[in-house]
Amino acid sequence: MESFKPNIAMQVKDLTIGYRKKSEDNEIGTDINFQLWQGELIALVGPNGIGKSTLLRTLCDIQTRLNGSIEVGGRDIGTYSALELAQLISVVLTDPPATRALSVGEIVTLGRQPYTNWIGKLTEQDKSHIENAIETTEISNLVNRKAFELSDGQLQKVMIARALAQDTDIIILDEPTTHLDMHHKAHILSLLRSLARNSGKTILFSTHEIDLGIELCDKLIVMGSENTEINTADGHILNGNFDALFPSDLIEFDSSRRLFRIKK
Amino acid sequence: MFAEKTYVRTFLILSSGLVLVFMVNLMLGSVHIPFSQVVKSLTGTEIENQSWQYIVKNYRLPKAITAVIVGSGLGLSGLLMQTLFRNPLAGPFVLGISSGASLGVAFLIMGAGLIGGLASDVLTSNWSLVIASSLGSFLVLLAVMVVSVRVRDTMAILIIGLMFASLTAAVVSVLSYFATAEELQQFIFWGFGSLGNLAWKEISVLLIFYILGCILCLVSIKALNSFLLGENYSRSMGLNLKKSRIIIILATSILAGSITAFAGPIAFIGLAIPHLARQLFNTSAHAILFPAILLIGAIIMLICDSIAQLPFTDYSLPINAITSIFGAPLVIWLLVRKRKMIF
């Protein structure tokens, strides 16, 4: 066993993800290895259906892994109780809230559930975490609105605020920029970057905005059919990982301008 | 800033409303008893008309208390099911409790002829109906649960419950087909529901189950709130999904099962009360909905009962008809007025 370094937020070793079936396991990704460091903003990119959501769900223990280890705080996440894990990792999923009748304040308050007592009474500390989360995400003007009154961009910010209120070292987001316009995409991603910079949180999110990811993130995890690699944007460009990401007949990666473009 | 909206005023109005309709319920009936005399007989003061005191203490008071328990208990179990299944159409009976009860009672009333061994006075006794109903509910619920643990999806439990309801309904049809007119009538009368058949002894038994169900519901409030975001989010916030699901289903079974056993399958209330509470308080936070539903459920049931006993006449209507005649337009009106369903 390698000894744990205090500034590694998450260590993934020989991870196999997929679905357990009776006859044989349906493996979606194998031999996944990476480390996430404290205060990093990491984008998880890859083509549709490659298993980004499966990987993210596995990392926060919503889905069981098939093999390998996922360590947080020096221990495998399987050794934590659900409640303990909820104080280490928070998530923003693609699932919309089951009901949209909740107010923004109520949704953010739910983030404190791992800390509150049996009936959910808020302490002063809980309240200050909630207020912080609301201020950081700049949604104080929405607090009394119902979720059904919000635009997609606003709702996404509220869900991020809820994750912030949960006060975890790691935040995992599944496609936080889907359905958003250019401005809101950039806004959400720069919000995530400043969160990672200012609060030392480790933020991992999946996205199809590879260009924005290259510009804004400390590292990217590129998930391909052959292998999964974590590196800085420059590292990936050097290794030609982006070139291999999509079939080359339609789009190509322009490494000098660091973005994808359509072949003419 | 938030979550501190004052619901105090609405709660005060509802509480005084409850006291009011409770007293009115005691006053009305085939004999009109003046308010002052009702109060006196409740406090135990001697009143001129001994029979009034007897009526209030042994007939009307137990019935009013039953109405309170039935209305609030069914409302609560409806809320539990709607939140658990994230389905506004769910009610206390989606897990097969009432279909199980009707199966048990159908066997007792109409199946007895087939076996031919039971004496008719045993059949009409209240307790045998209660036992048959509970047994039926319990067995069908058990079957639903045994099948449900094999599925991971909560929605599948809903479908399984509905399938079992169809199954039991089919068995009841077969029994009805071979039943005599008299048996059939007895069974149909049971299906109307009734609040007036409970003596104090039965009420105290029902009360124990009711309190137990309320406590289980109370400890589930936090879990219910997180279910509003969806199961994956609940899990990510440290909730033990399996345990919470079991507690919620247990609470519903205890509340709806015991109420159905003693008062028959009271329709509509369990579905409608949670919607009324959500519209009235404009929230889906369960810490608010819990007391709100207790109050609204009790009030609506008392009003329905007052109407059903057709004041100043010797007739009374089936309570099940009144709950729907009275309740359905109320829910429709609220939905139209607010134009947005809160769920």
Side-chain angles (χ1 to χ4, degrees):
Chain A
M1 282 286 278
E2 210 177 309
S3 72
F4 172 73
K5 300 187 194 107
N7 45 0
I8 292 180
M10 180 182 267
Q11 169 114 33
V12 174
K13 271 191 231 155
D14 305 325
L15 181 67
T16 305
I17 56 169
Y19 295 90
R20 190 141 275 168
K21 291 246 176 80
K22 261 184 195 148
S23 47
E24 59 175 327
D25 294 342
N26 177 16
E27 290 179 358
I28 288 176
T30 49
D31 274 329
I32 300 169
N33 289 283
F34 59 79
Q35 292 175 344
L36 307 182
W37 298 75
Q38 238 170 42
E40 272 184 343
L41 176 66
I42 308 106
L44 171 63
V45 301
N48 278 333
I50 200 79
K52 298 191 293 297
S53 293
T54 309
L55 175 59
L56 292 184
R57 277 205 302 271
T58 309
L59 293 182
C60 51
D61 214 23
I62 288 177
Q63 187 167 342
T64 28
R65 71 195 109 148
L66 298 181
N67 222 330
S69 73
I70 305 165
E71 281 177 27
V72 171
R75 278 164 59 190
D76 193 277
I77 57 168
T79 64
Y80 292 104
S81 72
L83 202 61
E84 288 170 327
L85 198 63
Q87 302 181 359
L88 297 170
I89 302 176
S90 57
V91 296
V92 176
L93 302 164
T94 42
D95 324 8
T99 157
R100 295 256 177 152
L102 287 170
S103 75
V104 168
E106 285 168 341
I107 292 179
V108 180
T109 304
L110 280 175
R112 295 305 295 170
Q113 279 219 345
Y115 304 92
T116 53
N117 66 0
W118 66 276
I119 192 107
K121 189 176 164 39
L122 298 176
T123 61
E124 286 308 312
Q125 198 195 0
D126 292 322
K127 283 180 190 162
S128 86
H129 275 291
I130 294 166
E131 273 163 37
N132 267 336
I134 287 173
E135 265 168 47
T136 317
T137 49
E138 298 169 355
I139 53 168
S140 22
N141 55 328
L142 304 176
V143 165
N144 289 316
R145 295 258 198 100
K146 296 276 181 194
F148 60 72
E149 297 172 300
L150 303 178
S151 69
D152 286 338
Q154 288 170 328
L155 185 64
Q156 197 56 264
K157 280 204 277 186
V158 172
M159 297 313 282
I160 291 172
R162 190 210 60 81
L164 274 182
Q166 205 172 324
D167 189 32
T168 56
D169 289 340
I170 302 171
I171 302 179
I172 291 177
L173 306 93
D174 196 1
E175 301 200 12
T177 55
T178 319
H179 303 310
L180 304 185
D181 62 31
M182 283 292 279
H183 168 75
H184 282 95
K185 274 179 183 152
H187 181 84
I188 293 285
L189 292 187
S190 64
L191 170 69
L192 293 180
R193 187 172 64 162
S194 68
L195 280 177
R197 292 270 185 290
N198 301 333
S199 57
K201 289 182 191 300
T202 305
I203 301 178
L204 170 66
F205 67 99
S206 64
T207 185
H208 290 294
E209 308 305 318
I210 304 179
D211 303 345
L212 282 173
I214 288 171
E215 261 179 74
L216 285 170
C217 295
D218 301 302
K219 282 180 190 159
L220 294 99
I221 299 176
V222 174
M223 217 172 162
S225 45
E226 299 298 315
N227 69 331
T228 299
E229 185 181 324
I230 187 165
N231 214 326
T232 58
D234 292 324
H236 280 303
I237 293 172
L238 215 64
N239 295 352
N241 289 335
F242 294 127
D243 304 314
L245 206 50
F246 302 109
S248 55
D249 53 342
L250 270 180
I251 41 177
E252 62 181 359
F253 187 73
D254 182 339
S255 45
S256 60
R257 292 166 64 199
R258 297 159 72 91
L259 45 80
F260 282 92
R261 63 176 188 197
I262 294 172
K263 273 188 177 173
K264 281 176 188 145
Chain B
M1 182 162 98
F2 52 86
E4 302 193 352
K5 258 185 269 169
T6 47
Y7 295 110
V8 179
R9 211 173 68 114
T10 324
F11 273 122
L12 277 179
I13 294 172
L14 282 178
S15 309
S16 25
L18 177 60
V19 175
L20 185 77
V21 292
F22 194 86
M23 293 311 287
V24 169
N25 186 277
L26 291 182
M27 283 161 62
L28 297 177
S30 51
V31 197
H32 172 71
I33 303 175
F35 180 72
S36 60
Q37 301 300 311
V38 169
V39 176
K40 273 187 186 166
S41 48
L42 283 182
T43 51
T45 326
E46 284 292 311
I47 58 173
E48 314 109 60
N49 195 333
Q50 284 291 321
S51 63
W52 283 358
Q53 187 153 22
Y54 184 84
I55 290 175
V56 169
K57 278 207 157 164
N58 292 304
Y59 184 65
R60 290 193 187 171
L61 191 59
K63 187 151 73 83
I65 290 175
T66 308
V68 169
I69 294 177
V70 168
S72 52
L74 287 181
L76 270 189
S77 30
L79 174 74
L80 292 174
M81 289 296 98
Q82 286 175 2
T83 301
L84 179 67
F85 293 118
R86 297 185 296 284
N87 189 326
L89 287 177
F93 301 132
V94 287
L95 294 175
I97 288 168
S98 72
S99 32
S102 75
L103 185 68
V105 172
F107 265 117
L108 179 75
I109 295 175
M110 305 188 290
L114 300 178
I115 310 161
L118 281 164
S120 58
D121 57 328
V122 178
L123 290 182
T124 47
S125 121
N126 243 338
W127 284 103
S128 61
L129 277 178
V130 168
I131 291 165
S133 163
S134 324
L135 216 61
S137 296
F138 179 75
L139 287 177
V140 171
L141 192 70
L142 197 71
V144 172
M145 288 299 106
V146 166
V147 180
S148 296
V149 287
R150 295 172 159 270
V151 299
R152 279 191 53 188
D153 194 345
T154 313
M155 292 307 152
I157 304 178
L158 192 60
I159 308 288
I160 291 170
L162 286 173
M163 290 303 112
F164 270 96
S166 305
L167 261 175
T168 53
V171 176
V172 171
S173 314
V174 172
L175 283 172
S176 311
Y177 185 74
F178 291 109
T180 64
E182 207 174 303
E183 289 167 343
L184 212 51
Q185 192 190 31
Q186 205 187 348
F187 178 70
I188 288 173
F189 269 55
W190 173 81
F192 286 153
S194 162
L195 302 175
N197 290 337
L198 277 73
W200 284 111
K201 200 172 165 191
E202 286 147 341
I203 286 186
S204 52
V205 174
L206 178 57
L207 200 62
I208 292 170
F209 284 110
Y210 173 75
I211 291 171
L212 190 65
C214 285
I215 291 172
L216 287 178
C217 184
L218 206 59
V219 299
S220 304
I221 283 183
K222 208 171 136 174
L224 289 165
N225 279 336
S226 78
F227 276 139
L228 293 177
L229 279 187
E231 290 190 357
N232 282 335
Y233 275 116
S234 310
R235 197 196 308 241
S236 84
M237 291 189 291
L239 187 78
N240 186 334
L241 273 185
K242 231 178 201 162
K243 198 177 111 197
S244 312
R245 208 186 280 163
I246 290 173
I247 293 179
I248 289 170
I249 289 175
L250 201 62
T252 310
S253 318
I254 290 173
L255 283 170
S258 60
I259 288 169
T260 308
F262 284 102
I266 305 281
F268 192 73
I269 287 288
L271 171 74
I273 299 295
H275 288 298
L276 285 178
R278 283 191 204 96
Q279 296 291 345
L280 216 57
F281 285 83
N282 195 23
T283 183
S284 13
H286 289 83
I288 303 293
L289 289 180
F290 179 81
I293 283 174
L294 291 186
L295 288 169
I296 298 172
I299 290 173
I300 299 277
M301 207 60 207
L302 281 167
I303 295 176
C304 287
D305 177 56
S306 302
I307 299 172
Q309 69 201 356
L310 292 177
F312 319 120
T313 69
D314 288 335
Y315 300 102
S316 63
L317 294 173
I319 187 74
N320 254 347
I322 302 301
T323 51
S324 298
I325 291 175
F326 183 72
L330 194 63
V331 174
I332 294 171
W333 174 73
L334 265 173
L335 284 175
V336 170
R337 201 186 60 138
K338 296 239 170 160
R339 269 192 243 110
K340 181 81 200 176
M341 189 181 75
I342 306 291
F343 179 70

